[in-house]
Amino acid sequence: MLTEATSGVFTIAATPFLPDGALDLQSIDRMIEFYAEKGTTGLTILGMMGEADKLWADESEAVIERVTARTDMPVIVGVSASGIASIAALSAKAMDRGAAGVMVAPPMTLRTDDQIITYFQNVSEALGDIPWVLQDFPLATEVQITPRVLRTIFDTCPTCKMLKHEDWPGLEKISALRRQEAEGARRMAILCGSGGLFLLEEMLRGADGAMTGFAYPEMMRDVTKLAKSDPDRARDIFDAYLPLIRYECQPGLGLMVRKHILAKRGAIAHPTIRKPGGTLSAAAIAEIDILVSRQEARLSAL
């Protein structure tokens, strides 16, 4: 089960589709094997980059059942929805299938600190004893949550075990949260997203690991492992991947890049984005190929 001590690399798993847009359950099996081979310690499914908003309810349940049945790694399930009853219902089904916990992002309608605190207190009450992750991703949700508000939520919602940190810029937020803990506040696990763009700095600020879907999970494995024991080595590895991380972080294009690379690496059979979506141009594919080639050259020289 998810706890405040959870750490490591929880890859945000893509949701594979066939060329016609149907779920590709066979690719889910291979994708799980791929992530495990590359050093992932846990999986997060049905996140924002997992195209969860494009799935029907029965498809979401099918993905949960398929993933949890085929891995011993802890699985966190994204359950964000417009209604708290929907969040509670999907969470219960996820936990029944063996999930380690669930993840909830705030709706875009929240504006004030009191609204944010009350919302997550209501979520926590509805979830009962289910451990959950607070996804703090203001670039997507437009909800700004300060360290003080986060601390109020953590203190009043004991089943909230983890912060998924995706604020940008947000390094000072990590430092502020760790200072709170040094002063006696309850410790929270912090795993970081944003495509891994700031992962090394986040680890050095006190994060416990990564929760993002960059197409090279081995980068996250190595950087999180070495950040504190051998930061120079971690920086060399991180620098080799950084141009591709930057390219993959393009808004509106990132998931296409990610799925293209995952398909090229054999993790999924097709790079399909379910409609509304798009495909990469020949020029974009050529740029990715150059970045991958240069990345491999840098890594071989380390």
Side-chain angles (χ1 to χ4, degrees):
M1 293 286 265
L2 181 67
T3 74
E4 296 91 339
T6 299
S7 62
V9 176
F10 276 66
T11 301
I12 296 285
T15 301
F17 297 106
L18 297 169
D20 64 0
L23 273 178
D24 184 358
L25 296 178
Q26 294 297 322
S27 278
I28 288 179
D29 300 346
R30 173 60 193 133
M31 182 179 65
I32 292 170
E33 294 174 3
F34 169 83
Y35 286 141
E37 290 167 0
K38 301 304 180 182
T40 291
T41 52
L43 294 173
T44 302
I45 61 174
L46 304 183
M48 293 182 186
M49 294 296 277
E51 300 178 78
D53 59 334
K54 300 178 185 177
L55 300 181
W56 308 317
D58 58 344
E59 289 179 319
S60 296
E61 293 177 29
V63 170
I64 294 169
E65 184 169 3
R66 190 81 173 199
V67 172
T68 54
R70 282 163 172 76
T71 184
D72 293 327
M73 291 186 287
V75 177
I76 295 172
V77 179
V79 295
S80 301
S82 57
I84 290 178
S86 298
I87 291 173
L90 185 58
S91 297
K93 291 175 181 177
M95 299 306 289
D96 285 345
R97 292 289 186 270
V102 301
M103 183 167 67
V104 184
M108 297 177 69
T109 54
L110 303 181
R111 288 293 176 266
T112 69
D113 290 349
D114 286 347
Q115 287 174 340
I116 295 167
I117 292 167
T118 299
Y119 175 79
F120 280 112
Q121 289 173 337
N122 288 339
V123 166
S124 191
E125 181 181 3
L127 292 181
D129 59 0
I130 295 174
W132 57 279
V133 180
L134 191 161
Q135 184 176 10
D136 182 18
F137 191 11
L139 284 106
T141 64
E142 300 181 7
V143 178
Q144 298 286 340
I145 313 179
T146 67
R148 181 188 62 80
V149 170
L150 285 171
R151 178 50 51 194
T152 301
I153 295 167
F154 299 156
D155 288 345
T156 58
C157 302
T159 52
C160 181
K161 304 296 184 181
M162 178 187 293
L163 173 69
K164 186 189 179 188
H165 174 272
E166 298 192 89
D167 204 347
W168 181 1
L171 296 174
E172 297 300 334
K173 180 179 283 188
I174 296 175
S175 293
L177 293 171
R178 291 309 190 208
R179 282 196 299 270
Q180 292 171 353
E181 294 166 2
E183 294 167 359
R186 178 170 72 101
R187 190 187 192 282
M188 297 296 295
I190 300 177
L191 267 59
C192 299
S194 299
L197 191 58
F198 305 99
L199 180 59
L200 178 60
E201 291 80 10
E202 289 164 338
M203 292 300 299
L204 295 174
R205 291 287 189 121
D208 298 300
M211 188 189 287
T212 192
F214 180 56
Y216 286 83
E218 57 265 46
M219 179 281 291
M220 297 181 283
R221 173 199 67 200
D222 293 342
V223 170
T224 56
K225 180 179 179 180
L226 296 170
K228 296 173 184 177
S229 63
D230 191 350
D232 288 339
R233 175 70 175 172
R235 193 173 298 280
D236 288 339
I237 293 170
F238 185 69
D239 289 350
Y241 287 98
L242 192 52
L244 186 59
I245 296 172
R246 172 188 60 85
Y247 196 91
E248 194 191 85
C249 279
Q250 295 179 84
L253 193 67
L255 185 58
M256 286 184 275
V257 175
R258 183 172 298 174
K259 281 194 161 183
H260 170 78
I261 296 173
L262 288 173
K264 189 172 182 178
R265 301 191 79 193
I268 57 178
H270 311 281
T272 308
I273 306 292
R274 180 172 271 189
K275 295 179 180 179
T279 58
L280 294 174
S281 67
I285 291 172
E287 289 164 348
I288 294 166
D289 289 343
I290 291 171
L291 291 171
V292 169
S293 176
R294 291 176 64 82
Q295 172 180 287
E296 291 171 351
R298 290 190 188 98
L299 290 169
S300 65
L302 293 180

